[in-house]
Amino acid sequence: MIAAPSILELIDPMLTAEQRALQDTVRTLCARTADRDLVRAWDEEGRFPEEIWKALADSELLGLPLPEEFDGQGAGLLETTLVMEELARHSVAAAFAFLITVCFGGLTIDRSGTPEQRAWFLPRIARGEIRLSGAFTEPGGGSDLFALRTSAVRDGADFVLNGQKTYITSAQVADHLVLLARTSREERRSDGLTVFLVPTTAPGLEVRPLRPLGLRSTGTNEVFLDDVRVSADQVLGEVGNGWRVLVPMLNKERILAGAWALGNGWAALDDAIAYAGQREAFGRPIGANQVIQHYVADAAIALESARQLLYEASRLQDAGDPAAARFSMMAKVAATEAGFAASHAGMRILGGQGYLMETPMQRYFRDAHVALLGPSTNEVSKSFVARSLGMPRDRPAG
């Protein structure tokens, strides 16, 4: 299939020359290290995208949002969003690897870590020497993080962890887990939680693979903790204040989840446009049919609208604006729904061709579903938006 000129190559007048150059850098890197055959192999084999991970490290992009004093570049969330979007347009696996280690792990450690933790973790993340994974969700909890049962009990200078986590992305290749456990029972369910930096080599920790519909190359896992002992210096932030450690990153994570969903949607639309221009039926390209044109137009309108909301949410987050929380939820919903709709439109445009595992469209469609479910479901995100606009709560406060 001959690729059409990418919609992403249209100039966004709100981006600076430096930001456009950053997009071009990532686009060129992906073209060199994440061609279609390789991305397909990652997915089919369930293999972590080592090739592009190394390229990101060599190009110093893994340090993009990290402080300059720790081998980073000190870029803002908008620049990080641009990188995520472009990575996902070529490979959602590459975008997810970047998100989990660099953005969620690295930025959380940067904000809440001790000087020793920051000095040890951040340069190694920037150089691509270590990988992290976030371990929060539990079998009975889902979006309700406060329902977690994983416990951490103080034992002298250590904590002993017991419990189970599920849907843990990239745990099979991670060196450390950023893990949430309950250290005490308090009146407020959001109190008494603590974040730990747990080595995956710790005795008693076991990672078991799951078989997801999408995101096959990043890996989805269960994690079991059986008397896993960690020292007190592996606590991230203050004991009992884990929720306050996570909240600042959750808004960013939602924006970045929207960014990879958006990139995946653009990829689906690019392929659909190319196919519609080549595939002929009844003596003319199917793209000449109004129904196909409307599929394309609807997808493009939704994607572009979501992109503008996503960029605005990034700018508000960078500025520390109180409206950033609401905008991050709105942007996450808009971008993930638009990305899914674009992949669905692509499946309909390609017809039987899209249903074959030999074409990327089915992968775009499978991967798009994940973004609807996390880091919080779109239903939960919509409820937050409604409450931020003055609607009554549907449950007791945390």
Side-chain angles (χ1 to χ4, degrees):
M1 183 183 296
I2 301 173
S6 172
I7 301 166
L8 275 179
E9 293 172 6
L10 297 175
I11 294 177
D12 187 321
M14 296 297 290
L15 298 182
T16 66
E18 291 78 10
Q19 289 165 342
R20 294 187 200 120
L22 179 62
Q23 286 179 311
D24 290 339
T25 296
V26 179
R27 189 173 301 139
T28 301
L29 182 147
C30 289
R32 189 178 72 249
T33 60
D35 63 56
R36 287 183 173 236
D37 289 340
L38 187 55
V39 173
R40 174 183 166 186
W42 293 337
D43 180 72
E44 291 182 348
E45 298 168 16
R47 179 160 56 89
F48 186 84
E50 296 284 357
E51 295 88 344
I52 197 168
W53 181 260
K54 183 178 185 304
L56 288 168
D58 291 345
S59 64
E60 301 183 351
L61 282 169
L62 292 182
L64 181 75
L66 303 180
E68 294 181 14
E69 63 183 298
F70 296 117
D71 297 338
Q73 299 182 40
L77 184 61
L78 178 56
E79 286 76 20
T80 308
T81 297
L82 297 175
V83 169
M84 282 288 296
E85 183 183 0
E86 187 61 39
L87 282 175
R89 183 187 153 224
H90 294 83
S91 166
V92 168
F96 236 78
F98 184 87
L99 169 64
I100 298 299
T101 290
V102 178
C103 303
F104 191 87
L107 291 178
T108 303
I109 292 171
D110 181 41
R111 185 181 186 279
S112 299
T114 63
E116 294 77 14
Q117 289 170 340
R118 296 175 74 231
W120 193 90
F121 279 95
L122 299 185
R124 288 171 171 81
I125 291 172
R127 295 193 297 264
E129 296 172 358
I130 61 171
R131 297 170 188 157
L132 280 71
S133 177
F136 310 111
T137 307
E138 299 192 356
S143 296
D144 185 4
L145 290 181
F146 302 149
L148 63 82
R149 297 182 179 181
T150 297
S151 64
V153 178
R154 192 80 186 235
D155 182 20
D158 298 338
F159 287 87
V160 179
L161 279 63
N162 284 280
Q164 178 183 354
K165 301 293 182 178
T166 194
Y167 313 135
I168 309 306
T169 304
S170 296
Q172 83 284 0
V173 296
D175 299 285
H176 287 77
L177 302 178
V178 183
L179 184 143
L180 186 67
R182 185 167 290 282
T183 44
S184 65
R185 297 284 174 181
E186 307 293 341
E187 183 176 351
R188 286 175 55 89
R189 297 169 71 229
S190 57
D191 292 337
L193 306 177
T194 302
V195 178
F196 295 88
L197 298 170
V198 184
T200 54
T201 55
L205 189 150
E206 180 183 2
V207 177
R208 298 180 190 172
L210 297 170
R211 299 178 61 195
L213 176 68
L215 292 183
R216 292 177 179 175
S217 51
T218 51
T220 303
N221 307 272
E222 291 180 296
V223 174
F224 295 87
L225 302 115
D226 183 9
D227 288 339
V228 174
R229 185 173 290 271
V230 297
S231 62
D233 61 9
Q234 291 169 277
V235 171
L236 184 59
E238 297 179 0
V239 173
N241 284 326
W243 183 238
R244 294 169 181 82
V245 171
L246 295 182
V247 166
M249 186 55 213
L250 290 178
N251 287 337
K252 296 179 182 179
E253 187 185 21
R254 294 182 183 106
I255 291 170
L256 295 171
W260 76 253
L262 198 65
N264 187 62
W266 287 123
L269 187 57
D270 276 346
D271 280 14
I273 291 171
Y275 182 84
Q278 294 177 5
R279 173 73 167 89
E280 291 192 359
F282 308 106
R284 63 177 182 174
I286 64 170
N289 296 320
Q290 187 182 65
V291 65
I292 300 297
Q293 294 181 355
H294 285 193
Y295 282 151
V296 168
D298 287 343
I301 291 167
L303 288 169
E304 186 58 42
S305 299
R307 177 158 66 174
Q308 297 307 319
L309 184 56
L310 199 69
Y311 290 3
E312 182 61 20
S314 300
R315 292 185 178 101
L316 289 172
Q317 186 70 40
D318 282 336
D321 194 298
R326 179 170 72 245
F327 270 74
S328 72
M329 291 283 196
M330 294 167 65
K332 189 269 180 183
V333 172
T336 57
E337 295 289 351
F340 174 74
S343 70
H344 188 214
M347 289 288 287
R348 299 183 76 168
I349 291 170
L350 266 68
Q353 189 76 8
Y355 202 65
L356 297 177
M357 299 301 287
E358 285 75 15
T359 60
M361 191 60 71
Q362 50 76 30
R363 187 180 70 249
Y364 304 144
F365 185 66
R366 286 187 288 110
D367 288 350
H369 284 71
V370 181
L372 304 177
L373 307 176
S376 59
T377 66
N378 284 1
E379 290 75 17
V380 169
S381 298
K382 290 177 183 179
S383 293
F384 178 92
V385 171
R387 291 196 301 272
S388 74
L389 296 172
M391 299 294 287
R393 297 187 67 90
D394 59 354
R395 61 181 185 275

